[in-house]
Amino acid sequence: MQHLSRWNGCGGDKNKVVDATETERLTQLHGQVLFKRKPVQYLPQTVIEDDSSEVWISIIYPADFPADPFSSFQVWVIPETNEVFTSYEPYLQRMDFYKQRRFICEITGHSGLTFFEALRSETEESREVNNSFPDALREPILRRIQFSIVSRVDSLVDEIYEEFKSDFYPGEAVLILLDDSTRLHGTIRDKANFAEQLYADGTIKTPAFARYLVKILDRQNEEALLDQDHITRDRKAFTKLMLRGFIKNNVTRESWTGAPWLVKPSVAETYKIPIEVPKHLQYGAKVAEKKAMKKADQDGFFGFFSSQQLPELKPAVKGQKSKLSAQDMAKSREAQYQEYQRSLNGNPSFLLPSNPLRPSKPPVVGDRKLAGLPAVVVKNEPRAPSPPPVKYPIEDLDLAPNPEKQHRPTLKFMMVGESEDDGGEDLLPDDLEPETVGLLLETWDTLNVYCEVFQLDSFTFDDFIQAMRFSSDEVECELFVEVHCAVLKKLVNSSNDDGAVQISLPDFPADESDESEEEEEEEEAEEESPEPQAKPGRMTTRGSLAKEEAITIKARINEDEPEETQIHRAGEMFEDYGWIDRLRKRDFRNGGWQLVMVGLLHQLSVRPRSEQVCNTILKHLAPLDREPTQYTVQEQYQTLDINLRTKALQMICMLSLETKAIRNYLEECSNQMTELRKEKIEYQKARKAGLIELRQLHQERKALQPEPEKAGKSPTPVPELDGLDDSRLEGDSEMELEKERKEILAKQPKGSKQYQRVLKKIDEQKANIEKLQEQIETVENSLRETDCPRTRCLGLDRFCNRYWWFERNAMPYEGMPESSTAEARYANGRLWVQGPDAMEQAGFIDVTDEQRKQYQKHFQTTPAERKKHEEGPSHVSSAREWGYYEDPEAIEQLVEWLDSRGNRESKLLKELLLQQEYIAKYMKNRKAYLAEAPDRAESEDIPAKRVTTRTKTYLDVNESGPRCLRWKNTTALSENGHLHVDPGRPAKRKRVSDDTRVTKAAKQTKQAKPLTRTRAQRKG
């Protein structure tokens, strides 16, 4: 039960006002509680007429406390606000108001509090802020905030924080940053500011800077003269959150627009901060200035002195003319003069030129000498604040074009007749379509990334293109044949296994002739059979009538439709021996794999998406004018266009990605990457511990080094620890420095044995750190090679062209080291550029007419014109077009052309600089490999393999054949004992399927057995 406690002692003089200064003191010390985002307004002070009045305070008593009615005058007080009430009802209403959960703590911003909870929160938070905020920063920050007119507190906090985060003051605790990233504790003792220096034209010669004398606490009797780049604060010492609380706790601002921030009087008195508000920032001056500006906008500057008060409008008496009386004229002149005085108080610089110190008497309306008055000089309006500096990076096309900059390096294209092998007798014409280049790259990348699954040796992109063009009646290209056979074997398991089909295939539509024959037989059987008598209880329903009608309509449509024209004879090749059965038996020789390709493409042509491409290929492989035999397909495949060859191979490669073998391999790679990341973390921890120990050894060495070495050193303004380096301890410069250091130490006295032991430990520790760094790089390279799920592009340029370096991930830089063509020492050796896709083209280049006009207004060009000018004579206009760079010099020019201020090009430039060294290296390796003389193969001692069949002799021709004939599938020979084109040897027991083999390999990998590509890797 809540009662009121009485206390006497309000005595004193009559009409005494209850002291309300306590509320002001609380407001100044602890901020203000907010209600609806505005400070709570306390009730006015109450005058107490009776000296014997009794003051009541809200206290909670037990329920059995006896009520004691008092006969004397009573008042009620709320101690938190010092509000006094002479009646009980207003007191209860005020308490109900304070107990609503609608108040906000100004410092923390917490809402949903009662007034007392918010006041308590502000008191506690303000005390905590005052205790934690740096003492050295209080006075400078308060002086900077005083009379500031920034409207929002967030903007004020950001502005103050940016200004003071790199500025330090005497007495402040700081951290000293050494060149070796070591941190020491210090205290600012003194500070010297240096103003900026300007040239005659106004440009900055030397920016403003400061120097600090810092006492180093970690070293006795040692000081250092430092700049702001070598000093920083502790992260928790000065934050935006602390600054916001400090401002709200010590600074106030009125609610009218343009009101300045004012330091609280008690705080300002502590730090001797002036509190008198300048006239131009006072409320009256602001109002007068707004009125004057409004009037100037309406009447111009010459109407500024006209009266602001118009005469009162009254209806004129009929028959009388409306005119101003002398009294009204005098009032108008007086109002004019008062407005003039207010304008001078609001803006003291607004003066007449005749007397700049004292304004002259205003002119009298009707005075004849008005024309002789001097003109009024109005001060120009202040310049609009300059826009904030642009924070880069921004949208690439929002950067202004640079006409002096050269265009992008010229691209090269795989065009007709530009191949260095066009003169070969056994090569098909190089009439590549633009979209074929992308398919070739996609297929080559898939085959090399998953070469371990397909059991293929890796091969270069140049050899792959040459193999896709190779065609000969005498020699068979092993690369071309093995690639097709290896991929086909993954689609269907062999007959020695379960023979299951690993991909989803569409079903052929039912033969209509067979259906019609079955329907005719059923009709004849119905006619011969006696007509059954109708059952009395059966009735014709609406559904049966609709079914009969649908059958009738379908029959009419079939009669009207013409028979489909036959365009190839692929379906006639598998009447007795299906392509799936042939694939299960691995019957690939003498045109067998070509026949499997025909059967697969014929079944895929049922899909609408693949129908056109498949039928185009099948028209050539199974023409209508030749017999549908295996020999026909074998001959026709030799003359198949390279574009159609590429499309057929790309289709089966995409199908292979659905198989369990690929999915198991990806899971295996994922597990391997997890293990590699853990291993990398362990190496990094060991390296970090080694660096800490090395730093301690260096400190011990400095303490034990001989005197001549100490005397030979020159003092430096910034203390540093020699020899400490948290970065990589590699490189020619570091080796030279270490060599010089050893030579200097050799000339100096040897010192004590303990000193020599420390030197020996330092050398051993450095060697250990270098070894750990090499292991980290090895693991990082293994992670890069194992990252197989997707190929990652380097980035996009300003026109959304994509840049691809396919060796970046999922494969070794030089290909598999056990490959038969590993001496090439490169995989692709080119930086590829792909054009923008349709959405990017529409969003950035082919913009709307309104966007084009706005862009041309800002930059005097359109995005399309800018693309044409800055890309130069060579460009790619769609995602189906590809160009490439093959020279290291072109990469250097591309780096210079890219602009790091753009969003896309900053990311591209970062990746390109990381990979530039590797790209240039393997571009040079590619040039050297392609430039080798043809007689190079004569020195190779590789046994020739001869296989005689009915129609063809397969020879290993290295001397005179194209370069692609040097490739041999040694992986299949070592793992299977035969090539993919040859049938498997009959096994004595059931052979484990490919999926099971990959699963077992994954289990072995989990037992710390690495993948083949990481086990036999070669550093690039």
Side-chain angles (χ1 to χ4, degrees), residues 261-284:
W261 291 91
L262 302 175
V263 179
K264 294 180 180 180
S266 59
V267 181
E269 184 179 358
T270 302
Y271 297 105
K272 308 301 180 184
I273 299 175
I275 59 175
E276 184 179 356
V277 182
K279 285 187 176 182
H280 66 280
L281 295 179
Q282 294 177 2
Y283 178 73

Side-chain angles (χ1 to χ4, degrees), residues 99-195:
K99 290 181 179 180
Q100 297 180 31
R101 292 194 170 274
R102 301 174 62 185
F103 295 89
I104 303 172
C105 175
E106 186 182 18
I107 297 179
T108 62
H110 295 167
S111 58
L113 307 175
T114 65
F115 173 82
F116 306 107
E117 292 173 349
L119 184 62
R120 191 181 308 113
S121 175
E122 290 209 9
T123 305
E124 295 175 357
E125 291 297 329
S126 61
R127 187 182 300 112
E128 183 177 350
V129 168
N130 288 332
N131 292 336
S132 60
F133 199 80
D135 293 335
L137 291 177
R138 295 188 181 190
E139 182 178 353
I141 290 179
L142 291 175
R143 289 186 179 276
R144 170 64 179 80
I145 296 175
Q146 182 75 317
F147 307 139
S148 175
I149 57 173
V150 179
S151 58
R152 294 180 56 85
V153 67
D154 296 335
S155 303
L156 181 64
V157 169
D158 294 339
E159 181 179 334
I160 299 298
Y161 182 79
E162 292 298 327
E163 183 176 340
F164 281 84
K165 70 177 183 179
S166 299
D167 197 8
F168 308 93
Y169 292 86
E172 189 175 358
V174 295
L175 294 176
I176 303 172
L177 302 178
L178 304 184
D179 294 338
D180 57 358
S181 299
T182 303
R183 297 193 174 195
L184 301 176
H185 295 82
T187 303
I188 303 293
R189 286 196 56 192
D190 201 357
K191 173 184 178 181
N193 289 319
F194 298 90

Side-chain angles (χ1 to χ4, degrees), residues 3 56 93 162 245 262 325 331 337 356 486 488 507 560-561 574 613 625 659 670 679 707-708 719 743 896 930 995:
H3 291 274
W56 290 79
Q93 293 176 3
E162 292 298 327
L262 302 175
S325 62
K331 288 182 179 180
Y337 183 76
L488 290 172
D507 297 328
D560 297 339
E561 286 183 355
F574 306 100
V613 177
D625 56 350
T659 61
S670 178
E679 187 178 354
E707 290 298 328
E743 291 178 356
E896 295 179 358
L930 298 180
D995 299 337

Side-chain angles (χ1 to χ4, degrees), residues 910-926:
K910 178 182 177 182
E911 291 294 333
L912 199 58
L913 291 175
L914 287 175
Q915 308 291 346
Q916 184 178 3
E917 180 181 354
Y918 297 103
I919 295 174
K921 175 181 178 181
Y922 295 109
M923 282 182 173
K924 295 177 182 178
N925 290 353
R926 174 178 176 268

Side-chain angles (χ1 to χ4, degrees), residues 213-453:
L213 182 63
V214 184
K215 180 180 180 181
I216 303 176
L217 302 178
D218 295 338
R219 300 178 180 178
Q220 295 182 355
N221 302 326
E222 190 168 346
E223 295 180 347
L225 185 63
L226 306 176
D227 57 8
Q228 61 187 11
D229 296 333
H230 291 84
I231 303 177
T232 186
R233 293 187 182 94
D234 188 83
R235 292 181 180 179
K236 299 180 181 180
F238 183 62
T239 63
K240 288 187 178 181
L241 185 62
M242 295 175 59
L243 180 59
R244 182 189 182 93
F246 177 74
I247 291 175
K248 286 192 171 185
N249 193 31
N250 296 278
V251 185
T252 59
R253 179 177 177 270
E254 297 181 5
S255 58
W256 50 275
T257 304
W261 291 91
L262 302 175
V263 179
K264 294 180 180 180
S266 59
V267 181
E269 184 179 358
T270 302
Y271 297 105
K272 308 301 180 184
I273 299 175
I275 59 175
E276 184 179 356
V277 182
K279 285 187 176 182
H280 66 280
L281 295 179
Q282 294 177 2
Y283 178 73
K286 289 287 183 181
V287 174
E289 184 178 1
K290 286 183 179 179
K291 287 184 178 179
M293 292 177 64
K294 183 177 181 180
K295 186 62 178 177
D297 292 339
Q298 293 176 355
D299 300 335
F301 292 114
F302 293 100
F304 180 81
F305 296 103
S306 62
S307 175
Q308 299 294 321
Q309 295 179 359
L310 297 177
E312 183 180 0
L313 297 178
K314 295 182 180 180
V317 180
K318 188 174 182 181
Q320 294 182 359
K321 293 184 179 180
S322 176
K323 63 178 182 179
L324 296 176
S325 62
Q327 186 177 2
D328 293 335
M329 295 289 291
K331 288 182 179 180
S332 177
R333 288 195 297 269
E334 183 65 20
Q336 175 185 352
Y337 183 76
Q338 290 177 359
E339 184 65 28
Y340 176 79
Q341 291 292 340
R342 284 196 297 269
S343 66
L344 291 180
N345 293 331
N347 188 1
S349 62
F350 192 86
L351 298 174
L352 295 177
S354 59
N355 191 349
L357 299 179
R358 184 178 59 188
S360 62
K361 187 177 180 180
V364 179
V365 177
D367 192 353
R368 296 178 181 179
K369 299 181 180 180
L370 182 62
L373 291 176
V376 177
V377 178
V378 181
K379 184 179 180 181
N380 293 332
E381 295 183 0
R383 293 183 180 179
S386 58
V390 181
K391 293 184 179 180
Y392 298 106
I394 61 175
E395 164 57 37
D396 298 74
L397 293 179
D398 288 346
L399 295 170
N402 187 1
E404 299 179 357
K405 203 170 186 178
Q406 294 184 355
H407 61 76
R408 186 183 63 184
T410 305
L411 287 172
K412 296 185 178 181
F413 300 94
M414 296 182 65
M415 303 296 292
V416 178
E418 291 190 359
S419 175
E420 68 276 4
D421 303 318
D422 287 336
E425 298 178 356
D426 297 333
L427 299 179
L428 297 172
D430 188 14
D431 50 351
L432 283 174
E433 298 175 356
E435 61 181 7
T436 304
V437 179
L439 297 178
L440 283 169
L441 288 168
E442 179 183 359
T443 306
W444 173 84
D445 187 65
T446 302
L447 294 171
N448 277 269
V449 168
Y450 302 109
C451 62
E452 294 177 321
V453 182

